[in-house]
């Protein structure tokens, strides 16, 4: 089937009143993983209380809700690697230094199995693939955590590409990781559309690499200092309507 055409995206700008410019064929849709294809919040809020209990952190004077809040703050929406995060976390609470390695190992081995797909993820991917669009993931993180999460969420069989920062020594928002992903699909960057929830790592990063980008998140979560994103959607199935609308625009 002929791939759907998307209207090409300009660089981020302050006046996104028009959602199109010169038409470009989009042959691949690439997704961030956490909080985009996988419901990270649900998994984390299940995992962290269990970790707290397993390690009896209350006996060290650590309050459960503060433990969860501090970890979420320190990780900076996934920008800080967990192997770097846990030493900072144990230092914050004055915990024994050797506990950081044990907590990190617990995270690596237990947390990935709790991953579940974001609502509408499989439906959206399936529909896009019906139009001949390639589907990939570009994610920051360690491969031994991210890849099992993809498997646990049942997404392995629907992905044409998986690029994990820990495998290649590059992290979003570096433009090179986006360029590498496009290259592995044998596509120019402007034939790729990137969908992600992190304004800087995902949207600014993809835009700087020359990809077209859709911000997956609520409008009030976008940082005011950044230029407004060209596209914004709050639900993954809304990408299907975006595809149809832009395809109709192209054919017209």
């Amino acid at each position: 089937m002929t791939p759907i055409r998307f209207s090409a995206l300009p660089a981020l700008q302050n006046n996104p009143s028009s959602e199109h410019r010169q038409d470009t064929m989009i042959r691949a849709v690439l997704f961030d993983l956490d909080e985009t294809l996988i419901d990270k919040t649900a998994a984390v809020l299940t995992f962290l209380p269990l970790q707290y209990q397993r390690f009896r952190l209350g006996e060290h004077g650590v309050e459960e809700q503060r433990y969860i809040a501090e970890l979420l703050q320190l990780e900076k929406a996934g920008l800080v690697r967990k192997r770097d995060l846990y030493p900072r976390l144990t230092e914050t609470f004055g915990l024994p230094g050797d506990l950081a390695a044990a907590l990190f190992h617990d995270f690596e081995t237990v947390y990935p199995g709790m991953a579940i797909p974001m609502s509408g993820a499989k439906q959206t991917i399936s529909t896009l693939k019906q139009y001949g669009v390639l589907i990939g993931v570009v994610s920051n993180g360690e491969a031994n955590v991210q890849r099992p999460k993809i498997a646990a969420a049942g997404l392995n069989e629907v992905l044409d590409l998986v690029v994990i920062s820990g495998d290649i020594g590059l992290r979003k928002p570096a433009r090179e990781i986006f360029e590498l992903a496009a290259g592995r699909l044998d596509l120019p960057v402007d034939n790729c559309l990137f969908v992600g929830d992190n304004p800087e790592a995902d949207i600014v990063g993809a835009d700087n690499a020359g990809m077209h980008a859709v911000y997956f998140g609520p409008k009030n979560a976008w940082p005011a200092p950044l230029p407004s994103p060209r596209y914004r959607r709050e639900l993954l199935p809304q990408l299907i309507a975006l595809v149809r609308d832009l395809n109709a625009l192209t054919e017209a």
Side-chain angles (χ1 to χ4, degrees), residues 17-86:
S17 59
S18 172
E19 284 197 342
H20 64 276
R21 65 173 183 181
Q22 181 181 358
D23 297 324
T24 298
M25 178 74 76
I26 296 297
R27 301 181 183 275
V29 177
L30 305 178
F31 293 88
D32 171 52
L33 186 60
D34 294 314
E35 296 292 61
T36 302
L37 284 186
I38 286 178
D39 191 340
K40 176 186 174 182
T41 297
V44 166
L45 293 182
T46 298
F47 168 76
L48 288 180
L50 295 176
Q51 182 177 67
Y52 175 88
Q53 294 166 16
R54 276 194 297 276
F55 286 85
R56 300 181 178 181
L57 297 179
E59 296 179 8
H60 294 274
V62 179
E63 194 273 325
E64 179 177 327
Q65 291 306 311
R66 185 170 172 234
Y67 178 75
I68 295 171
E70 285 288 342
L71 187 146
L72 295 177
Q73 180 179 353
L74 286 170
E75 75 157 0
K76 299 185 183 299
L79 290 179
V80 176
R81 299 185 305 173
K82 297 300 184 296
R83 68 171 62 254
D84 299 325
L85 182 153
Y86 276 105

XYZ file of all heavy atoms in Angstrom, residues 17-86:
581
model
N 0.096 28.688 13.789
C -1.285 28.784 13.339
C -1.561 27.896 12.151
O -2.676 27.446 11.938
C -1.603 30.245 12.987
O -0.726 30.690 11.966
N -0.540 27.630 11.326
C -0.701 26.737 10.190
C 0.067 25.457 10.437
O 1.184 25.492 10.914
C -0.166 27.398 8.909
O -0.165 26.472 7.849
N -0.567 24.301 10.111
C 0.068 23.025 10.396
C 0.641 22.378 9.138
O 0.735 21.170 9.037
C -0.926 22.076 11.058
C -1.186 22.386 12.510
C -1.819 21.228 13.254
O -2.367 20.328 12.582
O -1.764 21.213 14.484
N 1.014 23.188 8.153
C 1.603 22.558 6.985
C 2.496 23.518 6.221
O 2.418 24.705 6.345
C 0.508 22.017 6.057
C -0.378 23.098 5.485
N -1.455 23.607 6.160
C -0.327 23.753 4.289
C -2.044 24.528 5.399
N -1.380 24.625 4.281
N 3.379 22.925 5.436
C 4.196 23.665 4.498
C 4.364 22.760 3.287
O 3.511 21.925 3.009
C 5.531 24.050 5.137
C 6.425 22.877 5.493
C 7.797 23.357 5.961
N 8.646 22.198 6.229
C 9.884 22.302 6.666
N 10.422 23.477 6.880
N 10.602 21.233 6.883
N 5.441 22.868 2.551
C 5.666 22.023 1.388
C 5.573 20.550 1.793
O 6.121 20.108 2.780
C 7.059 22.303 0.815
C 7.387 21.473 -0.422
C 8.778 21.771 -0.919
O 9.456 22.615 -0.351
N 9.192 21.084 -1.955
N 4.808 19.762 0.988
C 4.534 18.384 1.349
C 5.764 17.496 1.230
O 6.577 17.652 0.328
C 3.418 17.815 0.457
C 2.110 18.556 0.660
O 1.842 18.952 1.801
O 1.376 18.738 -0.323
N 5.888 16.559 2.181
C 6.989 15.618 2.206
C 6.438 14.238 2.520
O 5.596 14.097 3.391
C 8.019 16.013 3.283
O 8.563 17.289 2.958
C 9.148 14.996 3.365
N 6.927 13.233 1.850
C 6.513 11.870 2.129
C 7.107 11.412 3.451
O 8.322 11.450 3.643
C 6.987 10.934 1.012
C 6.638 9.473 1.248
S 4.897 9.143 0.984
C 4.834 9.143 -0.820
N 6.255 10.995 4.389
C 6.700 10.432 5.652
C 6.579 8.922 5.557
O 5.505 8.380 5.382
C 5.854 10.948 6.836
C 6.035 12.445 7.011
C 6.219 10.218 8.113
C 7.446 12.861 7.361
N 7.716 8.258 5.645
C 7.746 6.809 5.496
C 7.942 6.078 6.822
O 7.846 4.857 6.863
C 8.870 6.414 4.530
C 8.715 7.036 3.140
C 9.832 6.605 2.217
N 9.719 7.241 0.923
C 8.972 6.789 -0.087
N 8.265 5.698 0.079
N 8.929 7.425 -1.233
N 8.219 6.810 7.888
C 8.420 6.179 9.189
C 7.919 7.097 10.297
O 8.090 8.312 10.237
C 9.895 5.855 9.417
N 7.289 6.489 11.293
C 6.910 7.198 12.508
C 7.709 6.577 13.648
O 7.619 5.374 13.907
C 5.404 7.094 12.799
C 5.073 7.802 14.118
C 4.598 7.699 11.664
N 8.518 7.400 14.298
C 9.369 6.956 15.389
C 8.819 7.497 16.702
O 8.411 8.657 16.775
C 10.801 7.445 15.179
C 11.441 7.071 13.839
C 12.832 7.668 13.739
C 11.490 5.559 13.673
N 8.823 6.656 17.713
C 8.256 7.010 19.005
C 9.316 6.998 20.104
O 10.205 6.136 20.113
C 7.167 6.012 19.412
C 5.930 6.033 18.574
C 5.848 5.253 17.422
C 4.832 6.789 18.941
C 4.695 5.250 16.648
C 3.676 6.792 18.176
C 3.606 6.016 17.019
N 9.187 7.920 21.034
C 9.826 7.775 22.330
C 9.164 6.575 23.016
O 8.071 6.158 22.629
C 9.616 9.054 23.137
C 10.050 8.921 24.567
O 11.192 8.497 24.802
O 9.237 9.227 25.456
N 9.828 6.014 24.038
C 9.258 4.843 24.705
C 8.469 5.227 25.957
O 7.240 5.114 25.991
C 10.365 3.850 25.060
C 9.895 2.505 25.638
C 9.007 1.765 24.653
C 11.093 1.656 26.035
N 9.159 5.692 26.995
C 8.501 5.972 28.265
C 7.583 7.170 28.187
O 7.973 8.241 27.710
C 9.552 6.200 29.359
C 10.353 4.941 29.647
O 9.734 3.869 29.778
O 11.589 5.031 29.730
N 6.362 6.990 28.655
C 5.309 8.001 28.657
C 4.831 8.348 27.252
O 4.136 9.342 27.057
C 5.748 9.279 29.392
C 6.025 9.056 30.878
C 4.795 8.720 31.688
O 4.161 7.685 31.393
O 4.477 9.464 32.619
N 5.219 7.538 26.284
C 4.705 7.714 24.922
C 4.092 6.390 24.459
O 2.877 6.302 24.294
C 5.807 8.179 23.963
O 6.365 9.405 24.450
C 5.245 8.435 22.567
N 4.903 5.369 24.281
C 4.361 4.045 23.956
C 4.111 3.204 25.203
O 3.266 2.304 25.179
C 5.317 3.291 23.026
C 5.337 3.721 21.563
C 6.220 2.788 20.747
C 3.926 3.767 20.965
N 4.843 3.474 26.268
C 4.677 2.731 27.519
C 4.214 3.687 28.610
O 4.712 4.806 28.716
C 5.996 2.044 27.923
C 6.239 0.831 27.024
C 5.995 1.631 29.388
C 7.530 0.105 27.301
N 3.259 3.223 29.410
C 2.741 4.029 30.516
C 3.716 3.936 31.681
O 3.546 3.134 32.609
C 1.355 3.530 30.923
C 0.655 4.486 31.875
O 1.345 5.306 32.497
O -0.579 4.396 31.999
N 4.742 4.761 31.628
C 5.787 4.735 32.644
C 5.243 5.098 34.022
O 5.634 4.488 35.041
C 6.912 5.691 32.262
C 8.004 5.796 33.319
C 9.010 6.870 32.960
C 10.013 7.088 34.073
N 10.962 8.176 33.755
N 4.359 6.068 34.081
C 3.827 6.500 35.368
C 3.166 5.350 36.107
O 3.410 5.123 37.299
C 2.823 7.647 35.174
O 3.495 8.780 34.614
C 2.200 8.055 36.503
N 2.344 4.597 35.396
C 1.659 3.468 36.024
C 2.656 2.434 36.528
O 2.519 1.912 37.640
C 0.685 2.833 35.033
N 3.669 2.130 35.715
C 4.662 1.123 36.104
C 5.497 1.593 37.287
O 5.748 0.830 38.234
C 5.560 0.789 34.919
N 5.944 2.838 37.254
C 6.781 3.376 38.323
C 6.016 3.421 39.642
O 6.552 3.062 40.704
C 7.298 4.779 37.956
C 7.865 5.494 39.175
C 8.373 4.677 36.888
N 4.758 3.846 39.595
C 3.979 3.966 40.822
C 3.577 2.608 41.372
O 3.151 2.516 42.530
C 2.749 4.845 40.575
C 3.058 6.311 40.269
C 1.785 7.105 40.079
C 3.924 6.939 41.370
N 3.702 1.576 40.564
C 3.542 0.207 41.067
C 4.853 -0.306 41.642
O 4.886 -0.925 42.713
C 3.076 -0.737 39.943
O 1.795 -0.301 39.468
C 2.942 -2.174 40.443
N 5.954 -0.022 40.943
C 7.261 -0.559 41.326
C 7.836 0.074 42.584
O 8.337 -0.629 43.476
C 8.242 -0.378 40.164
C 9.671 -0.622 40.533
C 10.142 -1.921 40.712
C 10.555 0.435 40.722
C 11.467 -2.153 41.071
C 11.873 0.203 41.076
C 12.332 -1.098 41.255
N 7.818 1.397 42.686
C 8.535 2.073 43.762
C 8.039 1.722 45.169
O 8.861 1.507 46.075
C 8.513 3.585 43.547
C 9.390 4.085 42.395
C 9.290 5.598 42.258
C 10.844 3.670 42.593
N 6.728 1.649 45.419
C 6.307 1.215 46.759
C 6.784 -0.202 47.089
O 7.124 -0.490 48.247
C 4.776 1.276 46.690
C 4.495 2.281 45.623
C 5.570 2.069 44.604
N 6.830 -1.078 46.090
C 7.304 -2.439 46.319
C 8.800 -2.443 46.612
O 9.284 -3.187 47.479
C 6.992 -3.317 45.110
C 5.508 -3.530 44.822
C 5.320 -4.332 43.531
C 4.832 -4.245 45.987
N 9.554 -1.614 45.899
C 10.988 -1.507 46.179
C 11.212 -0.962 47.588
O 12.069 -1.467 48.338
C 11.672 -0.606 45.150
C 13.177 -0.493 45.368
C 13.880 0.339 44.324
O 13.658 1.548 44.251
N 14.717 -0.298 43.515
N 10.466 0.034 47.935
C 10.557 0.627 49.275
C 10.344 -0.442 50.347
O 11.085 -0.515 51.343
C 9.520 1.744 49.396
C 9.417 2.362 50.767
C 10.228 3.432 51.139
C 8.481 1.878 51.692
C 10.122 4.003 52.399
C 8.375 2.447 52.952
C 9.192 3.501 53.302
O 9.092 4.065 54.552
N 9.349 -1.293 50.127
C 9.034 -2.338 51.106
C 10.091 -3.434 51.111
O 10.489 -3.915 52.191
C 7.648 -2.917 50.814
C 6.508 -1.933 51.013
C 5.212 -2.404 50.396
O 5.062 -3.586 50.065
N 4.268 -1.488 50.219
N 10.558 -3.843 49.917
C 11.546 -4.921 49.840
C 12.823 -4.565 50.603
O 13.446 -5.425 51.227
C 11.885 -5.233 48.373
C 10.935 -6.175 47.685
C 11.515 -6.686 46.372
N 11.738 -5.629 45.406
C 10.804 -5.158 44.587
N 9.575 -5.642 44.635
N 11.084 -4.210 43.720
N 13.226 -3.315 50.516
C 14.475 -2.893 51.147
C 14.258 -2.290 52.539
O 15.208 -1.772 53.137
C 15.211 -1.910 50.236
C 15.852 -2.578 49.055
C 15.129 -2.835 47.892
C 17.180 -2.978 49.094
C 15.711 -3.466 46.802
C 17.770 -3.610 48.014
C 17.038 -3.863 46.867
N 13.017 -2.350 53.020
C 12.700 -1.894 54.378
C 13.279 -0.502 54.657
O 13.924 -0.254 55.675
C 13.218 -2.904 55.406
C 12.616 -4.287 55.255
C 13.135 -5.236 56.311
N 12.519 -6.554 56.182
C 12.777 -7.583 56.992
N 13.646 -7.434 57.986
N 12.176 -8.744 56.812
N 13.026 0.378 53.713
C 13.612 1.712 53.832
C 13.013 2.513 54.976
O 13.626 3.465 55.470
C 13.455 2.461 52.511
C 14.197 1.837 51.322
C 13.962 2.641 50.051
C 15.693 1.726 51.607
N 11.827 2.121 55.393
C 11.230 2.785 56.547
C 12.071 2.622 57.799
O 12.082 3.506 58.673
N 12.791 1.500 57.887
C 13.654 1.267 59.047
C 14.859 2.214 59.053
O 15.542 2.351 60.072
C 14.126 -0.185 59.058
C 12.982 -1.178 59.222
C 13.453 -2.623 59.202
O 14.690 -2.848 59.206
O 12.603 -3.529 59.180
N 15.122 2.839 57.898
C 16.212 3.831 57.803
C 15.682 5.254 57.982
O 16.410 6.225 57.758
C 16.906 3.722 56.448
C 17.642 2.439 56.239
N 18.943 2.252 56.667
C 17.255 1.264 55.672
C 19.342 1.027 56.349
N 18.336 0.408 55.755
N 14.402 5.364 58.365
C 13.813 6.686 58.579
C 13.340 7.368 57.311
O 13.095 8.578 57.298
N 13.200 6.603 56.226
C 12.757 7.168 54.948
C 11.244 6.999 54.826
O 10.725 5.881 54.962
C 13.458 6.477 53.762
C 12.969 7.069 52.442
C 14.969 6.620 53.891
N 10.547 8.077 54.555
C 9.097 8.024 54.386
C 8.771 7.648 52.937
O 9.401 8.148 52.007
C 8.494 9.383 54.754
C 6.994 9.377 54.948
C 6.240 9.602 53.656
O 6.752 10.371 52.829
O 5.153 9.013 53.481
N 7.811 6.768 52.759
C 7.553 6.185 51.431
C 7.236 7.227 50.370
O 7.816 7.205 49.278
C 6.409 5.174 51.513
C 6.079 4.540 50.160
C 4.990 3.487 50.255
O 4.913 2.800 51.300
O 4.215 3.358 49.300
N 6.328 8.127 50.633
C 5.928 9.105 49.619
C 7.076 10.050 49.284
O 7.218 10.471 48.139
C 4.696 9.887 50.091
C 3.431 9.047 50.151
C 3.144 8.359 48.824
O 3.163 8.977 47.761
N 2.867 7.056 48.866
N 7.918 10.359 50.270
C 9.068 11.221 49.986
C 10.089 10.470 49.130
O 10.733 11.058 48.263
C 9.719 11.708 51.287
C 10.841 12.706 50.988
C 11.375 13.415 52.193
N 12.552 14.193 51.785
C 13.737 14.116 52.345
N 13.942 13.305 53.370
N 14.742 14.839 51.907
N 10.241 9.177 49.396
C 11.154 8.367 48.585
C 10.732 8.406 47.122
O 11.552 8.634 46.219
C 11.146 6.923 49.097
C 12.012 5.978 48.292
C 13.399 6.003 48.406
C 11.447 5.049 47.425
C 14.202 5.132 47.678
C 12.230 4.172 46.686
C 13.605 4.220 46.819
O 14.393 3.362 46.087
N 9.453 8.200 46.877
C 8.938 8.216 45.506
C 9.114 9.595 44.889
O 9.578 9.736 43.750
C 7.455 7.792 45.494
C 7.325 6.332 45.953
C 6.843 7.986 44.116
C 5.902 5.884 46.185
N 8.756 10.633 45.630
C 8.839 12.002 45.102
C 10.274 12.397 44.788
O 10.543 13.027 43.749
C 8.221 12.977 46.107
N 11.215 12.044 45.659
C 12.616 12.399 45.433
C 13.170 11.697 44.206
O 13.902 12.292 43.407
C 13.457 12.027 46.661
C 13.279 12.957 47.843
C 13.913 14.322 47.628
O 14.773 14.453 46.740
O 13.534 15.269 48.353
N 12.831 10.414 44.048
C 13.326 9.685 42.879
C 12.800 10.308 41.592
O 13.551 10.516 40.633
C 12.928 8.216 42.966
C 13.547 7.312 41.880
C 13.828 5.917 42.437
C 12.661 7.205 40.655
N 11.515 10.624 41.564
C 10.928 11.204 40.357
C 11.533 12.576 40.059
O 11.736 12.935 38.894
C 9.408 11.308 40.513
C 8.663 9.975 40.615
C 7.178 10.211 40.841
C 8.881 9.136 39.355
N 11.839 13.335 41.100
C 12.447 14.653 40.885
C 13.883 14.520 40.382
O 14.300 15.230 39.464
C 12.423 15.452 42.181
C 13.046 16.842 42.042
C 12.987 17.633 43.336
O 12.380 17.222 44.312
N 13.632 18.790 43.344
N 14.632 13.595 40.970
C 16.036 13.450 40.605
C 16.228 12.919 39.188
O 17.225 13.231 38.535
C 16.734 12.516 41.600
C 17.020 13.087 42.989
C 17.494 11.990 43.929
C 18.054 14.209 42.910
N 15.289 12.134 38.709
C 15.483 11.540 37.379
C 15.203 12.514 36.248
O 15.537 12.248 35.096
C 14.622 10.296 37.209
C 13.153 10.582 36.992
C 12.430 9.452 36.295
O 13.068 8.441 35.981
O 11.220 9.600 36.065
N 14.572 13.653 36.560
C 14.327 14.711 35.570
C 13.655 14.156 34.310
O 14.148 14.301 33.188
C 15.626 15.440 35.213
C 16.282 16.138 36.385
C 17.499 16.936 35.952
C 18.182 17.577 37.143
N 17.303 18.518 37.874
N 12.505 13.510 34.530
C 11.702 12.971 33.431
C 12.492 12.025 32.533
O 12.312 11.994 31.325
C 11.091 14.104 32.605
N 13.367 11.235 33.138
C 14.104 10.237 32.381
C 15.422 10.698 31.811
O 16.134 9.904 31.198
N 15.784 11.955 32.000
C 17.031 12.463 31.438
C 18.258 11.982 32.213
O 19.363 11.943 31.674
C 17.006 13.996 31.390
C 16.043 14.626 30.379
C 16.099 16.144 30.468
C 16.351 14.168 28.967
N 18.068 11.618 33.492
C 19.174 11.126 34.313
C 19.137 9.598 34.339
O 18.105 8.996 34.624
C 19.080 11.674 35.753
C 20.183 11.079 36.626
C 19.161 13.194 35.749
N 20.260 8.972 34.029
C 20.331 7.513 34.026
C 20.138 6.964 35.434
O 20.635 7.523 36.401
C 21.672 7.040 33.463
C 21.936 7.472 32.036
C 23.217 6.853 31.514
N 24.356 7.160 32.395
C 25.555 6.620 32.236
N 25.772 5.743 31.272
N 26.546 6.957 33.052
N 19.450 5.818 35.519
C 19.169 5.239 36.836
C 20.445 4.827 37.560
O 20.498 4.889 38.785
C 18.226 4.039 36.681
C 16.859 4.379 36.127
C 16.122 5.350 37.002
C 14.716 5.611 36.492
N 14.691 6.263 35.177
N 21.463 4.408 36.846
C 22.715 4.033 37.515
C 23.369 5.245 38.163
O 24.149 5.107 39.113
C 23.667 3.349 36.538
C 24.223 4.212 35.439
C 25.310 3.496 34.665
N 24.832 2.300 33.987
C 25.098 1.056 34.381
N 25.826 0.854 35.464
N 24.642 0.020 33.713
N 23.061 6.442 37.668
C 23.549 7.668 38.286
C 22.576 8.198 39.331
O 22.978 8.898 40.273
C 23.772 8.748 37.221
C 24.809 8.349 36.188
O 25.779 7.656 36.568
O 24.654 8.705 35.007
N 21.322 7.870 39.158
C 20.273 8.391 40.028
C 20.321 7.768 41.422
O 20.223 8.480 42.435
C 18.906 8.140 39.393
C 17.659 8.654 40.113
C 16.567 8.922 39.092
C 17.135 7.650 41.147
N 20.478 6.451 41.502
C 20.387 5.794 42.810
C 21.483 6.225 43.789
O 21.203 6.387 44.986
C 20.329 4.279 42.641
C 18.916 3.791 42.375
C 18.518 3.388 41.109
C 17.971 3.765 43.398
C 17.213 2.959 40.867
C 16.672 3.332 43.171
C 16.294 2.930 41.905
O 15.000 2.516 41.676
